[in-house]
Amino acid sequence: MDVDVDAALADLATEVLPHLNAEYEDSLVFTARILAGRRTARAARMTALDRRGVELVVVDDEGEHRERLEYDAPIDDPSEVTAQLFGLVVRARELSGEDGTTSAERVMAEMAGIRTYLAVVTAVEDVHPHLRRITFSGGDLASFSPVGPDTFLYVLLPPPGRSELTIDRSFSWEQVGAMPEEERPVGAYYTVRAWRPERAELDMLFVLHGDSGPASAWAQRARPGDPVALWGPRSSYHPPARTDWYLLVADETGLPAAANILESLPEGTVARVFAEVDNETERQELPTAPSFAVTWLYRRGAPAGTTTLLPDAVRSMAWPGGTPYVWGGGESRAMTAVRRYVRREIGLPREAVSLVAYWRHASGAGDTDDLDDEDDL
């Protein structure tokens, strides 16, 4: 078990450390000031994480220092990483006696208010052989409301081999660690493609890739009447008010959100879209407008998550002036590569970029069906 956890965490670190350092530096500086005693820290970056803690490089008035922060308890499952990282920030806040919030604390506050909705499958439709539209409805959804054009929910499903949910509307992620493994729900994040409030009904698009992940396996067999729980809603789309054009970057998993974003833009808004699918028959319908430019990128049989089509397309684009907002959803390493380019080489500020790891290829950390939102710290 130890070897598996250590290996999984090493893989996970290669994927998430660039994002943590880019998006949560204020939280890292805060924890370094309080937990490492570097009171004049002005910069910090995480260089490693393992079962017992994290390692940081901290810059303060005396120079650069290497520090180690220990979790409250060793990690026995890679899924515990987020809770332990949050725990470091919480501990620092309690010890500091200071007012204020960091970026990580704002995410924690958002997550604390998230609900769990119970619903059932009411319709299943194949858009093409590898994409299925599933409609959900139910009494709990009568009080649901989207929070942005990229609104996403965690679809919580019965444990493998079970047909009934093992959770109810009181579910929270804190419960998962205490549940027996055979009782734990499985699932993944999915975007709400359509919401019909008059019917309390929503649609999601599921990419089908066999039984390689629990959500894909479930979606291939989904039938009307199947129970689900939906945890959310959440959003990662927050363009600054001064934005004057948009760059959207997505593979199959991110295209539903990209379509919603395009639909939400005022008439005449300039948007550039790079959309990756396997071939022409697997395109998803996107809104069209004279100010939208969509470039389709085709893998031509290469497995999803194994190409560099999206980051290569962004790098080769003639970068216009103005004030852009870059949003993306897709495979983790592709999103990381795009993020590094637009932040480091183009020089966009943090608030102008939201590139979300919707899933990770099997050769990286995590399961290919785990839509891991990187804004979760």
Side-chain angles (χ1 to χ4, degrees):
M1 177 65 178
D2 289 355
V3 173
D4 290 342
V5 172
D6 289 338
L9 291 175
D11 284 342
L12 181 64
T14 65
E15 298 292 335
V16 304
L17 289 186
H19 175 73
L20 293 176
N21 291 326
E23 303 300 321
Y24 295 98
E25 186 181 12
D26 63 329
S27 301
L28 296 175
V29 171
F30 177 66
T31 55
R33 283 201 305 108
I34 306 303
L35 300 185
R38 297 292 176 183
R39 290 289 176 168
T40 62
R42 60 178 181 273
R45 69 180 187 277
M46 192 182 301
T47 57
L49 61 84
D50 55 41
R51 292 189 61 201
R52 292 173 175 79
V54 301
E55 296 180 5
L56 304 176
V57 172
V58 183
V59 179
D60 65 9
D61 292 347
E62 299 177 353
E64 187 173 281
H65 314 273
R66 294 190 176 276
E67 301 288 351
R68 181 172 176 83
L69 304 178
E70 300 288 335
Y71 305 137
D72 291 330
I75 290 173
D76 293 322
D77 187 302
S79 65
E80 300 170 13
V81 168
T82 297
Q84 292 290 4
L85 292 175
F86 279 155
L88 293 175
V89 182
V90 170
R91 192 197 316 163
R93 179 62 63 191
E94 292 173 347
L95 292 173
S96 74
E98 299 175 5
D99 294 328
T101 59
T102 65
S103 54
E105 290 168 293
R106 289 190 288 273
V107 170
M108 283 187 274
E110 176 193 357
M111 293 178 70
I114 291 176
R115 291 181 54 187
T116 299
Y117 300 82
L118 299 183
V120 295
V121 174
T122 53
V124 177
E125 178 187 1
D126 287 331
V127 179
H128 62 65
H130 298 111
L131 188 69
R132 175 165 288 185
R133 179 183 293 108
I134 299 181
T135 301
F136 302 98
S137 66
D140 281 358
L141 289 180
S143 59
F144 174 79
S145 181
V147 292
D150 72 327
T151 292
F152 54 89
L153 295 154
Y154 201 97
V155 180
L156 291 154
L157 306 167
R162 308 276 288 275
S163 59
E164 297 299 323
L165 289 172
T166 54
I167 59 172
D168 57 25
R169 59 179 56 87
S170 68
F171 170 82
S172 68
W173 285 109
E174 289 75 16
Q175 300 172 10
V176 173
M179 296 177 71
E181 187 171 353
E182 65 274 12
E183 295 290 315
R184 293 178 185 176
V186 295
Y189 282 110
Y190 286 91
T191 300
V192 176
R193 180 61 184 93
W195 165 240
R196 293 176 287 278
E198 70 282 0
R199 300 174 62 177
E201 182 178 86
L202 61 83
D203 296 338
M204 292 179 172
L205 295 176
F206 287 70
V207 177
L208 304 180
H209 42 78
D211 289 344
S212 59
S216 175
W218 174 87
Q220 290 186 135
R221 299 168 178 82
R223 297 291 183 270
D226 288 351
V228 298
L230 304 172
W231 184 79
R234 301 180 65 199
S235 171
S236 64
Y237 176 79
H238 307 290
R242 65 184 182 278
T243 301
D244 57 23
W245 68 276
Y246 295 76
L247 174 61
L248 309 181
V249 183
D251 62 17
E252 293 96 327
T253 63
L255 286 174
N260 291 343
I261 290 169
L262 291 173
E263 290 174 352
S264 75
L265 296 177
E267 184 177 356
T269 302
V270 174
R272 186 81 166 90
V273 183
F274 291 114
E276 177 191 326
V277 294
D278 185 65
N279 57 63
E280 291 85 350
T281 67
E282 297 197 355
R283 289 188 181 189
Q284 295 181 30
E285 184 176 352
L286 296 177
T288 60
S291 59
F292 297 166
V294 179
T295 300
W296 289 94
L297 308 170
Y298 302 114
R299 293 190 299 272
R300 303 295 183 193
T306 65
T307 76
T308 57
L309 289 170
L310 288 172
D312 289 349
V314 174
R315 290 190 188 99
S316 65
M317 182 182 76
W319 205 265
T323 306
Y325 181 71
V326 180
W327 180 93
E331 200 280 327
S332 177
R333 282 169 293 191
M335 295 299 101
T336 296
V338 175
R339 180 185 300 109
R340 286 173 176 166
Y341 176 73
V342 299
R343 290 292 307 279
R344 298 179 183 178
E345 299 188 40
I346 299 300
L348 296 185
R350 185 174 77 175
E351 64 270 17
V353 180
S354 179
L355 290 153
V356 183
Y358 273 18
W359 65 287
R360 290 187 172 92
H361 188 263
S363 62
D367 187 275
T368 56
D369 200 55
D370 181 11
L371 306 191
D372 181 15
D373 170 35
E374 289 196 329
D375 284 342
D376 274 357
L377 185 60

